Amino acid sequence: FAGRAIFPWISMSGKVVAFGGRKLDKETKGVQQKYVNSPDSDIYHKDHELYGIYQAKRAIAKEDCVYMVEGYTDVISMHQCGIENVVANSGTALSQHQIRMLHRLTKNIVLLYDGDAAGIKAAMRGTDMILEEGMNIKVLLLPDNEDPDSFARKHTVEEFRKYIDDNVTDFIQFKIDILLDGVNDPVKRSEAISSIVKSISRIPDPIIRASYLQDSAVRLRMSEATLLTRMNTFIHENIEERRRRKE
């Protein structure tokens, strides 16, 4: 941790369980590891913790919504801007432990990432697991060359909230925009539609699942019966996968 800015990881109960260290900007050139985290231990497992959860838990419960960002400074800047219901997974894939921790506080989650390729990939990565836990998921990508840290420092809380309200999309529209943008090849289009239907199949509530499927059929201009047949295949595969996991 020498020569690094230190960020303490505080657990849900308010105890410091680990540290993250970041090389300062002028020293990052040529440095292989910009960030260093405490190793896993008896009291700290990275996939069990969320950065900022202790400071955010009351605001999450009050707002009935949580914003998921990538880094430490994103959380800090959004708090300073006035948005406190925010946590970070520190650039790693979301785990079931983290999702269940948030689910105890709210059912609504907004993935708030940079608009670049890495941000899009991070948003796509966690979608299915969040849906599987029965949470309502929305996605917000920020303008090019912006991250939550820089955006929060340039805007007031009212401006930030207005941008969220105007630009947040549900996961179906997000996937349609990303996977089908400019795609004319029938095979690639079929793969993209299958990915969307597979995400819907992860939703445990049958009424919400049916509602999303109807909505997708309209947006994709496809027969609902065709999508339903594909979804039922995925549901059967999901059941088999859970059975194997349990064994």
Side-chain angles (χ1 to χ4, degrees):
F1 289 121
R4 294 177 185 269
I6 299 296
F7 300 86
W9 281 78
I10 302 175
S11 70
M12 180 82 92
S13 60
K15 292 178 179 171
V16 176
V17 292
F19 298 97
R22 186 198 190 282
K23 276 284 186 186
L24 300 179
D25 282 337
K26 64 180 180 180
E27 298 176 358
T28 54
K29 197 172 182 181
V31 174
Q32 285 186 332
Q33 273 191 300
K34 190 185 287 188
Y35 287 95
V36 171
N37 289 300
S38 296
D40 271 20
S41 66
D42 290 342
I43 62 165
Y44 170 70
H45 300 283
K46 192 175 183 183
D47 66 350
H48 285 43
E49 303 293 341
L50 286 162
Y51 184 77
I53 188 69
Y54 177 69
Q55 291 90 342
K57 61 183 180 180
R58 285 184 185 172
I60 293 170
K62 183 182 175 185
E63 301 280 345
D64 193 23
C65 176
V66 61
Y67 297 109
M68 173 66 67
V69 296
E70 284 190 273
Y72 308 126
T73 53
D74 296 329
V75 174
I76 293 167
S77 290
M78 285 182 69
H79 265 262
Q80 289 176 328
C81 175
I83 299 173
E84 297 183 359
N85 53 325
V86 55
V87 296
N89 60 334
S90 193
T92 58
L94 274 172
S95 71
Q96 279 189 322
H97 294 285
Q98 292 168 325
I99 297 166
R100 286 171 183 166
M101 187 193 303
L102 292 174
H103 201 178
R104 295 206 302 268
L105 301 169
T106 181
K107 279 188 72 174
N108 304 301
I109 182 169
V110 177
L111 302 180
L112 181 53
Y113 292 131
D114 313 358
D116 60 11
I120 290 167
K121 187 178 178 183
M124 295 284 262
R125 199 167 47 193
T127 305
D128 287 2
M129 284 182 72
I130 295 168
L131 290 170
E132 204 167 31
E133 289 297 323
M135 294 185 76
N136 305 320
I137 177 173
K138 292 191 174 181
V139 182
L140 176 68
L141 295 179
L142 292 170
D144 287 346
N145 303 316
E146 294 277 14
D147 57 25
D149 172 25
S150 63
F151 197 81
R153 284 188 278 118
K154 292 175 187 173
H155 297 84
T156 64
V157 63
E158 291 79 15
E159 290 168 343
F160 204 138
R161 288 191 191 280
K162 186 177 187 309
Y163 181 84
I164 292 169
D165 292 340
D166 291 347
N167 294 279
V168 72
T169 61
D170 62 46
F171 76 95
I172 292 175
Q173 192 59 52
F174 169 70
K175 279 200 153 189
I176 289 172
D177 292 343
I178 298 302
L179 298 177
L180 289 172
D181 183 36
V183 173
N184 297 314
D185 181 80
V187 175
K188 288 185 178 176
R189 181 175 167 79
S190 169
E191 289 171 353
I193 291 170
S194 286
S195 173
I196 293 164
V197 174
K198 188 173 185 177
S199 291
I200 296 170
S201 76
R202 298 279 183 178
I203 299 170
D205 186 309
I207 296 174
I208 296 174
R209 197 167 60 216
S211 177
Y212 269 121
L213 193 74
Q214 287 173 346
D215 193 28
S216 297
V218 173
R219 294 192 209 187
L220 294 166
R221 296 193 293 276
M222 287 198 68
S223 158
E224 189 181 331
T226 303
L227 297 182
L228 181 62
T229 302
R230 193 77 181 101
M231 187 176 76
N232 287 336
T233 303
F234 283 131
I235 290 171
H236 179 70
E237 289 173 1
N238 294 342
I239 292 168
E240 283 295 304
E241 184 187 325
R242 282 196 292 271
R243 184 184 61 78
R244 285 196 298 270
R245 246 188 272 158
K246 196 174 178 182
E247 286 176 355

